[in-house]
Amino acid sequence: QKEVEQDPGPLSVPEGAIVSLNCTYSNSAFQYFMWYRQYSRKGPELLMYTYSSGNKEDGRFTAQVDKSSKYISLFIRDSQPSDSATYLCAMKQGGSEKLVFGKGTKLTVNP
Amino acid sequence: GAVVSQHPSRVICKSGTSVKIECRSLDFQATTMFWYRQFPKQSLMLMATSNEGSKATYEQGVEKDKFLINHASLTLSTLTVTSAHPEDSSFYICSARGDGGGLGTQYFGPGTRLTVL
C-alpha cells in the first residue's frame, strides 16, 4: 500500500461547479497536510496547509483533514477555468521536512 | 512570493554523459534545498535534502555517487546526474525552504525535463 493515494483523474467539470479532491494515507504519524496546485510545465505552488485535523478555508478553497479516517479533502467552490491544473496532496510528519506526495489529480474546468 | 528558478528547463543528452541542473532561490536565502524526481504518472519523490555547506542526505534507493548534489551557497544548489542512462529520463524539480514559521514552506522551481537518449 502506498503511503499516499490520490485518484489521478482526469476530472472535468463545468464552470461554477463545486470540486472535491481527495487523498487517503496510511501513515498515522503524518501531522501536516498540504495541497499544491501545479500548472503545466510549472513547479507546484502551495495552496493550503492544515495542521492535524479540522477545516481551513481560504476564499473559494476549503481543506479538510480527518485523521481518524486518514482522509483529506480539498473543495473548490465556484470553480473557474483558471483553476484548471493538477492538484497534489502532500503530507509530512512533525519534525520532518520530508514531503510525501500523492500522484496528483488533473482538473479541467470548462467555460 | 518566494521565487525559485531552475536551469535548464529541458535537456537532452546522450547515454553516458553527465548533466548539471541548477536551482536558485531568487529573492530569499535558503539554508535547505530539496531535489525531487517525477516519473510519468507517478508521484513527486524526494531524492535528497541539501543543506548549505554540508553533505546532502539521500533517500533510500537513491545513489549518491550517481546524483551529485552541491549546495555551496544560500541561493544555489546543483544536481549533477553522472553517466546518465535512459532510465534516468525524468522530471527533476527542486524546492527551497523559506521561513514559514513552524511549517517551513517549500517553494518549488519549475522543473527540468531530462531526456537521455
Side-chain angles (χ1 to χ4, degrees), chain B residues 39-75:
Chain B
F39 291 109
K41 301 190 189 303
Q42 299 299 314
S43 313
L44 269 172
M45 296 290 291
L46 181 65
M47 298 175 67
T49 301
S50 162
N51 289 296
E52 185 265 338
S54 62
K55 289 184 179 180
T57 303
Y58 290 81
E59 294 297 306
Q60 192 173 9
V62 178
E63 300 175 57
K64 63 180 181 181
D65 295 330
K66 180 170 183 62
F67 299 98
L68 302 179
I69 292 172
N70 185 292
H71 191 167
S73 79
L74 287 171
T75 59

Side-chain angles (χ1 to χ4, degrees), chain B:
Chain B
V3 179
V4 176
S5 71
Q6 269 184 254
H7 178 79
S9 58
R10 183 184 293 267
V11 58
I12 300 172
C13 69
K14 293 182 179 179
S15 184
T17 60
S18 295
V19 174
K20 181 186 282 188
I21 302 169
E22 291 186 350
C23 176
R24 293 181 185 272
S25 56
L26 297 184
D27 51 4
F28 67 102
Q29 293 186 329
T31 55
T32 305
M33 289 185 170
F34 306 84
W35 287 96
Y36 294 82
R37 180 168 54 182
Q38 186 176 31
F39 291 109
K41 301 190 189 303
Q42 299 299 314
S43 313
L44 269 172
M45 296 290 291
L46 181 65
M47 298 175 67
T49 301
S50 162
N51 289 296
E52 185 265 338
S54 62
K55 289 184 179 180
T57 303
Y58 290 81
E59 294 297 306
Q60 192 173 9
V62 178
E63 300 175 57
K64 63 180 181 181
D65 295 330
K66 180 170 183 62
F67 299 98
L68 302 179
I69 292 172
N70 185 292
H71 191 167
S73 79
L74 287 171
T75 59
L76 173 64
S77 176
T78 61
L79 169 69
T80 301
V81 183
T82 63
S83 187
H85 288 96
E87 58 266 31
D88 298 322
S89 298
S90 188
F91 192 52
Y92 292 86
I93 302 182
C94 71
S95 71
R97 181 170 63 80
D99 292 328
L103 183 64
T105 302
Q106 291 185 30
Y107 297 95
F108 285 82
T112 297
R113 175 78 58 192
L114 170 63
T115 303
V116 184
L117 303 176

Side-chain angles (χ1 to χ4, degrees), chain A residues 1-85:
Chain A
Q1 183 187 9
K2 289 189 184 297
E3 274 194 296
V4 179
E5 299 274 8
Q6 183 177 10
D7 186 342
L11 182 62
S12 182
V13 301
E15 183 174 355
I18 296 174
V19 176
S20 172
L21 303 167
N22 312 291
C23 288
T24 59
Y25 62 96
S26 58
N27 188 346
S28 58
F30 287 140
Q31 292 187 333
Y32 293 89
F33 304 90
M34 285 141 277
W35 286 95
Y36 285 83
R37 178 174 60 196
Q38 186 175 21
Y39 292 113
S40 182
R41 296 187 177 87
K42 301 286 187 182
E45 168 195 14
L46 181 65
L47 266 182
M48 303 277 290
Y49 77 88
T50 310
Y51 171 69
S52 194
S53 283
N55 295 357
K56 189 170 186 177
E57 188 173 320
D58 184 2
R60 297 185 294 111
F61 298 88
T62 299
Q64 287 186 352
V65 175
D66 182 349
K67 290 192 74 178
S68 63
S69 301
K70 297 189 179 69
Y71 186 86
I72 70 170
S73 302
L74 177 70
F75 297 96
I76 307 174
R77 290 184 299 280
D78 188 25
S79 56
Q80 303 295 308
S82 58
D83 295 328
S84 298

